[in-house]
Amino acid sequence: MLPLFDLSLQLNNFPMKEAKSELRKIVAFSEKEHDVFIENKKQEIVHFHLQNNPFYRELVGSKNHKIWENLPVLNKQNLQKPLLERLSKNYSLKNSYINKTSGSSGTPFIFAQDKFCHALTWASNIYRFAWYEIDFNTSYQARFYGIPLDFIGNKKERFKDFLSHRFRFSIFDLSDAVLEGFLNHFRTKKFDYINGYTSSIVLFAKFLQKKNIVLSAICPSLKVCMVTSEMLFEEDKLLLEKQFGIPIVNEYGASELDLIAFQNKEGEWQVNSETLFVEILDENNRVVPNGTSGRIVITSLFNKAHPFIRYDIGDLGILDEKSTLQKPILKKLIGRTNDVAILPSGKKSPGLTFYYVTKSIIEDDGNVKEFLIKQTKIDTFEIEYVSETELNLEQIEKIEKAIEQYLEPNLKFIFIQKNSLERSNRGKLKQFTSML
């Protein structure tokens, strides 16, 4: 088969051969060599942007840039200005890769990567997927993603799907009739792997569970399933493994950066230490010890077109105690920093706490397909859920009791049964939202 994927990147002037060669060199470093590489790249990228990027130079100001901890933490609000004001010298909209973040953090923005950095991002993806014998040029992907609905955007995305050897399942309608259509494609196509948004793939697995079907039995070519963009809960992972009959791999990335963490063959969430430098910081921008939760702050070591230096991605997480500079392990992804519920007592709690507590109870009967939680007032929460039958009093009381135990008493809950849940224009499901 013609390597259309690599070819399409080369034709767009992304230097894939050089990027793959650079990545091979980094991966081959000893632990000591890797430590030196990280320190050198950190200083190099800071020096480059101080020399060539007025936006970054202004952000750093008079701070002593030679001390890493003195460098400012870049946030998404800093980036809410025209891209042309943030580009480095000699980089333009024409000679860079330009894209837009999804806005799942509530703060979308346009960003740039230089061509080599973007090629390295793809080399990093190719390297990690190969852990599971997936080749982007030859492996056939079942893709559970959103798609632009306008004519030109739609055709453009379909053409990219063709070049990338993937078949896209549009996830804006996930009714049983549509999922039955998905199933028929698995019966007739030789898919090698599944990739896409967690909530949509979990919904498909619940559909298979109801029909008592294991996907690998009707599509034996399937090797692995990669889920991304949304939280993967342990019970959902078990459901996917059971109904798909293949390994489930958890991926964590950001369009403006690269793959941030990717589950390795040992089941660890291995952080990308080849193209990124990841720190976990407290509220005062100090590095916390491994094993402690904090804000995930990331430096893109190769992006010269646009600075992402000590960039607060808006997520909370924990690095494993056994992490090293060469092999950091993400122990836990807690959720987004802006998804925090403020309770009447003044207590702050990650919105996913509600989701964890409610999820285990709500799904006991297997009736509820999916749900989301909105905080509408300081003491009031709406739980929207998709289910064939309404929640009964016993279920509601169990939820309220669990939340009182894990959070605090006297919180009010409004349960709203729906036919489907509202997703973003890209098809993502935001599991907790504070309207305060």
Side-chain angles (χ1 to χ4, degrees), residues 99 102 122 125 129 136 141-149 154 157-158 160-161 164 166-174 178 182 186 193-201 204 225-230 249 251-255 259 262 423-429:
N99 203 352
S102 67
W122 276 114
N125 275 266
F129 275 66
F136 285 3
Q141 180 190 142
R143 189 170 180 80
F144 284 70
Y145 269 76
I147 190 167
L149 299 177
N154 191 281
E157 212 59 40
R158 292 289 183 197
K160 274 159 71 176
D161 287 343
S164 305
R166 61 200 188 199
F167 181 87
R168 187 180 298 249
F169 296 95
S170 181
I171 56 174
F172 295 116
D173 179 0
L174 294 168
V178 171
F182 287 9
F186 280 94
Y193 67 116
I194 297 169
N195 188 16
Y197 295 158
T198 309
S199 62
S200 309
I201 293 172
F204 184 50
C225 167
M226 283 85 173
V227 296
T228 189
S229 287
E230 299 160 340
V249 175
E251 165 189 309
Y252 170 45
S255 54
L259 271 181
F262 195 78
R423 285 178 149 78
S424 74
N425 58 3
R426 292 200 180 190
K428 287 188 188 180
L429 184 69

Side-chain angles (χ1 to χ4, degrees), residues 231 252 269 296 315-318 330-335 356:
M231 295 290 283
Y252 170 45
W269 223 357
I296 300 176
D315 290 335
L316 298 166
I318 303 170
L330 187 62
K331 187 176 187 177
K332 195 175 182 185
L333 186 61
I334 299 166
Y356 276 117

Side-chain angles (χ1 to χ4, degrees), residues 180-272:
E180 189 67 57
F182 287 9
L183 185 55
N184 287 332
H185 282 293
F186 280 94
R187 285 194 174 103
T188 56
K189 292 178 170 63
K190 290 188 174 179
F191 290 118
D192 292 288
Y193 67 116
I194 297 169
N195 188 16
Y197 295 158
T198 309
S199 62
S200 309
I201 293 172
V202 167
L203 211 53
F204 184 50
K206 287 179 181 176
F207 171 77
L208 295 175
Q209 185 183 43
K210 205 162 59 176
K211 293 179 78 75
N212 203 20
I213 290 172
V214 174
L215 198 57
S216 58
I218 63 163
C219 185
S221 54
L222 270 180
K223 294 189 187 94
V224 64
C225 167
M226 283 85 173
V227 296
T228 189
S229 287
E230 299 160 340
M231 295 290 283
L232 175 66
F233 296 93
E234 188 55 36
E235 57 268 42
D236 286 339
K237 188 180 182 187
L238 294 172
L239 171 75
L240 292 175
E241 284 170 344
K242 185 183 170 196
Q243 295 309 139
F244 290 174
I246 51 175
I248 307 302
V249 175
N250 203 354
E251 165 189 309
Y252 170 45
S255 54
E256 65 269 39
L257 296 166
D258 196 341
L259 271 181
I260 299 165
F262 195 78
Q263 194 176 313
N264 62 25
K265 295 296 279 278
E266 288 74 50
E268 301 164 319
W269 223 357
Q270 190 170 330
V271 173
N272 169 1

Side-chain angles (χ1 to χ4, degrees), residues 49-50 53-63 72 81:
H49 283 300
L50 285 173
N53 194 291
F55 160 74
Y56 189 66
R57 200 159 50 238
E58 187 186 335
L59 196 71
V60 173
S62 58
K63 292 185 179 76
K81 53 169 66 183

Side-chain angles (χ1 to χ4, degrees), residues 282-374:
D282 66 16
E283 288 177 358
N284 300 309
N285 295 337
R286 287 191 295 251
V287 175
V288 302
N290 289 347
T292 309
S293 68
R295 291 146 52 227
I296 300 176
V297 171
I298 302 177
T299 298
S300 177
L301 297 171
F302 287 89
N303 192 355
K304 291 182 174 177
H306 186 292
F308 283 107
I309 298 169
R310 304 200 89 201
Y311 164 59
D312 188 337
I313 192 168
D315 290 335
L316 298 166
I318 303 170
L319 281 181
D320 200 289
E321 289 86 344
K322 64 177 182 242
S323 295
T324 64
L325 205 52
Q326 186 176 35
K327 192 182 175 183
I329 303 295
L330 187 62
K331 187 176 187 177
K332 195 175 182 185
L333 186 61
I334 299 166
R336 304 208 70 90
T337 48
N338 66 337
D339 294 345
V340 173
I342 298 165
L343 305 179
S345 66
K347 181 179 175 181
K348 291 181 181 177
S349 186
L352 282 170
T353 311
F354 291 86
Y355 198 81
Y356 276 117
V357 172
T358 313
K359 184 178 177 64
S360 56
I361 298 160
I362 240 174
E363 295 190 336
D364 276 350
D365 63 348
N367 180 33
V368 176
K369 291 181 181 177
E370 53 182 358
F371 67 96
L372 55 82
I373 298 172
K374 290 179 185 175

Side-chain angles (χ1 to χ4, degrees), residues 124 128 258-261 270-278 328:
S124 160
R128 283 171 173 75
D258 196 341
L259 271 181
I260 299 165
Q270 190 170 330
V271 173
N272 169 1
S273 65
E274 291 84 37
T275 72
L276 304 175
F277 172 62
V278 176

